[in-house]
Amino acid sequence: MKLAVNIDHIATLRQARAAREPEPVLAALLAEQAGASGIVCHLRGDRRHIQEIDLQLLRKVIITKLNLEMAATEEMLKIAREVKPDTVSLVPESPDEITTQGGLEVISQKSHLTSYIQELKKVGIRVSIFVDPLENQIKACQEAGANLIEINTGKYAEAQTEEERQANLEEVRQAVAFACRLGLQVHAGHGLDYHNVQPIVDIKEISELSIGFAIVARAVMVGLTQAVREMLELLQK
Ligand code: PXP
């Protein structure tokens, strides 16, 4: 299973002091050298972590795949069509959330998303939708023309009891199987860490995990190279 490293929180640390360091581009290069298959960043409307200049520099220097997470707004469409990341991941965004809360509500905005996705595809960008493990939402992703989906593992990761965790894991399993039957490529992510990732790794139809916070948090203690390698070891099991 491949690992895409989300470097948003390298930029969060830098923005905490409006400083020059730590540098997200350097983090991306180190993550690639350690074996990551892709780099993910989320350009938020409020620019709380990643800035447009980061995105432009990342596009120039990374040699794996660049995945830009963004809301499906006109502003972001313009930026994505200029920068041309390999993949755009459409996510919901609300200004007062600490992190992305849940998958995108696809059904109610299917016609908007269908034309939006077409505009991205026209310039050669693959489009992913971050979606909850729900069959009707996943079906709507396919109908809107997404190339792939990223199943939200947040509910699984945040489960308070073992029973809840198992139930949420089963939901993820079923959703992955359903998406595969529809012919969608399946990624997963959100809230995954060194302790909870293994059952997700065991779902072999998932081709890639997108992990950010846990890797950056460990990197503060052991360095980014080691943090990425330790996660990769778990993904290879
Ligand atoms: N996938 C998506 C769509 C996200 O929005 C995020 C958080 O930015 C992640 C994956 C990574 O989540 P985490 O930082 O909890 O690993």
Side-chain angles (χ1 to χ4, degrees), residues 6 8-9 42 69 91 99-100 130 150 189-192 210-214:
N6 180 316
D8 290 348
H9 296 307
H42 184 172
E69 279 181 21
V91 298
T99 181
T100 312
F130 181 60
E150 179 183 338
H190 210 274
L192 297 176
S210 172
I211 306 181
F213 183 80

Side-chain angles (χ1 to χ4, degrees), residues 87-90 104 106 110 113-118 120-121 125-131 137-150 179 182-185:
T87 307
V88 155
S89 292
L90 298 176
L104 193 64
V106 185
K110 203 166 77 185
L113 289 172
T114 304
S115 51
Y116 198 91
I117 288 171
Q118 267 172 14
L120 291 167
K121 282 181 162 177
I125 300 171
R126 273 158 49 87
V127 183
S128 172
I129 300 180
F130 181 60
V131 67
Q137 294 288 351
I138 293 170
K139 183 89 182 77
C141 292
Q142 185 215 31
E143 289 165 357
N147 299 95
L148 63 139
I149 56 166
E150 179 183 338
L182 293 181
L184 290 164
Q185 196 184 331

Side-chain angles (χ1 to χ4, degrees), residues 85-112:
D86 299 281
T87 307
V88 155
S89 292
L90 298 176
V91 298
E93 203 176 287
S94 112
D96 41 353
E97 67 192 359
I98 293 177
T99 181
T100 312
Q101 298 292 317
L104 193 64
E105 164 48 53
V106 185
I107 298 167
S108 61
Q109 39 173 349
K110 203 166 77 185
S111 72
H112 163 64

